Amino acid sequence: MNNWQRLLWYYGAGRLFTPRPRWFCYNVTRRCDSRCIHCGIWRGEHPEELPPEELRLIFSNPFFGAVRTAWLTGGEPTLRQDLAAVAAVMIASMPSLATLGLATHGIRTQRVIQQVVNLLDVLDPARHGLFIHLSLDSAGEVHDQVRGIPGAQAGVLATLDAIQELRHDYPGHRIEAGLNCVIQPANVAELPRLLAFARERGLSITFNIVVITDQIFDNLESEAELRFLPEQVEPAATFLEQVAVQSSAALCDHYRQIARMLRGEPRDRRCLTLWSTVNLEPDGTFLPCPTCSNIYPVNVKGRDLEELWRSQEMEALRRRIVTEHCPTCQLGCSLGDSLTWSEWRRGGWGP
């Protein structure tokens, strides 16, 4: 997608046209063997996990033909033994797919690496790259505290080393690894150290702010631990502003917006997730976006996704989300797929 297309998407998607999605996120399981403070998925019920043969019926719809990036997430996706078979079904139904993403806590190195190998075996190296996003919230022991697992940080480091070895074993494949950090009260003081660690290792790192919600992350039980103290807000906002000037153009604007919102200012940028991304739960339930997972409990099994995507009920749902949820949302979903006029004039996001 070039800058002209991004500009058109920002002002036209949902207003002049309804595009087919470019991003797909499949929460392959709600099971998780981490015990994160900021996420309550591991406490909840585990819905049915559709087998590959049932998923094939969903993905056979040409609706998925424009998807460029697909994510396998959860829960902890590596707990699903048929993960590679699920990926193979997705790949076969997405002719435009360029990148398959795996979002994992990275703690159980042997299991994670075996699943990565399984995924590499179903990818076409001439067409697809594999991006492995590992969770790391601190370069020290605070990560173990945040994830609720002793030795969690050591497990992630071992997984990173093992991924590096895989690059030598699979020289024809594009294998990338990056870090994802959830900024929360427990790790605000650790952020500069974590950033320095990522740079020393030559790793990309994405920072997101904890979302306190009764929706998919279901973490209201931990609200007292997740609410920033007044004296923590400014250090977090200042850190994001400092990271922004050293980040890609898309992340730069995102981090600056989060910093403004932490200080009490409203969101001033349109989110395109409702028109660019399809999120599905393990049982095939459609999620309009991660922050409002329970307001539209529709299962897509047996439904025409193209028809649903362009329906009046979906347009009404999007209008409701834009009004009720978007103004306070600090997530950075589908970054880089849209561009405001002022951003375009500054050079956009690259090619």
Side-chain angles (χ1 to χ4, degrees):
M1 180 176 268
N2 61 41
N3 285 331
W4 283 108
Q5 291 170 317
R6 293 182 181 109
L7 189 67
L8 177 62
W9 266 56
Y10 185 81
Y11 292 103
R15 294 168 174 169
L16 304 177
F17 59 91
T18 301
R20 280 182 171 177
R22 289 173 50 84
W23 299 68
F24 175 71
C25 182
Y26 183 35
N27 302 330
V28 299
T29 182
R30 280 291 194 104
R31 292 175 289 141
C32 188
D33 53 353
S34 185
R35 296 295 180 263
C36 303
I37 300 172
H38 56 273
C39 180
I41 284 178
W42 55 273
R43 296 190 189 97
E45 297 180 357
H46 304 147
E48 173 193 9
E49 297 170 6
L50 296 181
E53 53 269 24
E54 288 193 48
L55 290 170
R56 188 173 287 109
L57 298 176
I58 295 174
F59 294 133
S60 62
N61 194 312
F63 171 73
F64 292 99
V67 171
R68 296 282 296 168
T69 302
W71 281 93
L72 301 166
T73 182
E76 173 50 42
T78 63
L79 285 170
R80 185 150 176 178
Q81 294 185 351
D82 61 351
L83 186 65
V86 170
V89 170
M90 290 166 53
I91 292 165
S93 305
M94 299 175 182
S96 300
L97 186 69
T99 302
L100 180 69
L102 174 68
T104 172
H105 59 44
I107 297 171
R108 313 297 181 190
T109 301
Q110 184 175 357
R111 186 183 72 214
V112 172
I113 294 302
Q114 183 58 61
Q115 290 283 27
V116 169
V117 169
N118 294 344
L119 291 174
L120 290 171
D121 287 341
V122 301
L123 290 169
D124 179 353
R127 296 174 52 210
H128 311 123
L130 178 64
F131 188 90
I132 307 147
H133 223 183
L134 297 105
S135 299
L136 191 63
D137 303 303
S138 162
E141 294 179 358
V142 170
H143 182 68
D144 294 11
Q145 173 191 335
V146 169
R147 297 287 160 172
I149 301 291
Q153 190 242 12
V156 174
L157 299 187
T159 301
L160 284 169
D161 291 338
I163 291 171
Q164 183 60 37
E165 293 179 12
L166 275 183
R167 291 194 179 101
H168 298 296
D169 298 335
Y170 289 81
H173 284 263
R174 176 166 54 90
I175 306 171
E176 300 178 62
L179 303 176
N180 181 66
C181 169
V182 179
I183 299 177
Q184 53 197 289
N187 69 350
V188 169
E190 295 282 317
L191 298 176
R193 183 182 169 198
L194 176 59
L195 179 61
F197 168 82
R199 288 175 175 162
E200 289 169 5
R201 296 288 293 254
L203 295 165
S204 64
I205 183 167
T206 304
F207 294 95
N208 290 290
I209 291 287
V210 62
V211 177
I212 302 173
T213 177
D214 62 352
Q215 298 295 304
I216 189 169
F217 304 117
D218 197 17
N219 56 14
L220 289 183
E221 287 186 25
S222 303
E223 182 174 6
E225 297 173 86
L226 298 176
R227 187 75 63 186
F228 288 103
L229 298 173
E231 61 268 25
Q232 292 176 317
V233 171
E234 190 55 34
T238 300
F239 172 80
L240 286 167
E241 288 175 333
Q242 293 169 345
V243 174
V245 299
Q246 305 161 31
S247 301
S248 66
L251 280 172
C252 176
D253 274 44
H254 174 59
Y255 290 153
R256 285 173 173 164
Q257 177 153 262
I258 296 177
R260 290 194 300 269
M261 294 181 74
L262 281 172
R263 294 181 175 120
E265 298 179 34
R267 185 185 183 108
D268 62 1
R269 197 182 192 285
R270 209 177 164 226
C271 177
L272 271 291
T273 296
L274 296 169
W275 294 274
S276 69
T277 308
V278 169
N279 302 273
L280 289 185
E281 284 280 64
D283 63 353
T285 298
F286 176 81
L287 303 184
C289 89
T291 63
C292 43
S293 56
N294 299 336
I295 69 172
Y296 189 69
V298 171
N299 197 292
V300 302
K301 289 192 299 183
R303 295 202 58 168
D304 186 325
L305 263 170
E306 185 90 53
E307 181 180 303
L308 175 65
W309 188 252
R310 301 180 186 280
S311 66
Q312 290 299 311
E313 64 175 313
M314 186 60 64
E315 281 305 308
L317 178 68
R318 289 181 178 120
R319 288 193 295 270
R320 175 185 171 189
I321 293 171
V322 166
T323 302
E324 298 178 8
H325 295 267
C326 288
T328 58
C329 179
Q330 298 176 357
L331 294 179
C333 306
S334 62
L335 281 171
D337 260 3
S338 62
L339 198 63
T340 66
W341 176 247
S342 61
E343 291 161 349
W344 182 86
R345 290 184 66 184
R346 293 200 302 269
W349 303 160

